[in-house]
Amino acid sequence: MIRIAILAGFVSSAWMIGPARADTPPPRPTMWYWHNWTDHAGVSHMTKCPVRDFDLKTMSKPAGPQWQDRMKNEHGQVIFTVQPAHWNGAWHPDPKVQWIIPLSGAWYVTAMDGHKVVMGPGDVSVGEDQLSRKDQQGHVGHDAGNVGDGPAELMVIQTDETPTTDRPCRFR
């Protein structure tokens, strides 16, 4: 069971981009979320909060680098990631059982059976291909990438679930 409280109201997110040269990485992005919190008197408040502690690194080799801000939790972690325009992750398994929610832009996942799904804001997927094995073409896990000419912002919720086999749609 996932024991992560997801803060309500991901109303908007912003990708800050400035002029970038080929020899320098793009500036760190900033995304936003609404935090519904309670003060010492028991009064709740809505505060718009930035997410901006991003590192440009791979999530699972040999996938290319993407912006990541890891938010630790006792039973999992939430990662906000920004895939740069034209990002391609190559063939790789998910590092953990994880839920992926696009916040803006679009991305795709192609499974080893050739089934390709393009997802955008409002779509949700769960990655549980850790037990996949290399096929004759050397593919393992999935191929993923960015669709379009802009970045794709994703929220990834990594869990402490143990990966399984032969159990499609097990999260109900």
Side-chain angles (χ1 to χ4, degrees):
M1 178 180 188
I2 300 173
R3 297 181 185 179
I4 298 175
I6 302 173
L7 300 174
F10 278 89
V11 174
S12 67
S13 58
W15 168 247
M16 306 299 205
I17 213 165
R21 298 187 345 228
D23 59 338
T24 60
R28 288 182 184 207
T30 299
M31 296 169 63
W32 299 89
Y33 71 93
W34 286 100
H35 183 183
N36 184 3
W37 61 279
T38 304
D39 67 19
H40 64 280
V43 178
S44 65
H45 305 272
M46 291 293 288
T47 302
K48 192 173 184 179
C49 304
V51 176
R52 59 176 158 230
D53 190 21
F54 288 90
D55 293 312
L56 186 60
K57 60 185 181 179
T58 184
M59 191 176 292
S60 180
K61 290 184 180 185
Q66 54 186 313
W67 290 106
Q68 300 175 42
D69 185 347
R70 294 179 179 262
M71 298 180 182
K72 301 272 184 199
N73 183 283
E74 183 179 341
H75 300 284
Q77 69 177 331
V78 175
I79 304 168
F80 291 95
T81 182
V82 179
Q83 297 174 344
H86 310 289
W87 178 83
N88 183 282
W91 285 93
H92 65 283
D94 286 299
K96 292 182 157 275
V97 176
Q98 59 188 17
W99 294 87
I100 302 111
I101 302 108
L103 301 174
S104 71
W107 74 301
Y108 71 87
V109 173
T110 304
M112 292 171 71
D113 68 2
H115 190 174
K116 179 178 181 176
V117 177
V118 176
M119 292 167 269
D123 293 321
V124 176
S125 68
V126 62
E128 188 179 14
D129 59 3
Q130 296 81 13
L131 301 176
S132 61
R133 294 182 215 114
K134 282 188 181 178
D135 64 14
Q136 291 179 343
Q137 292 78 35
H139 300 161
V140 64
H142 64 279
D143 178 39
N146 181 299
V147 176
D149 292 328
E153 297 177 344
L154 309 173
M155 184 169 93
V156 179
I157 304 166
Q158 291 186 333
T159 73
D160 59 358
E161 294 279 341
T162 301
T164 64
T165 58
D166 300 322
R167 294 190 57 203
C169 304
R170 75 178 180 108
F171 299 100
R172 297 175 189 238

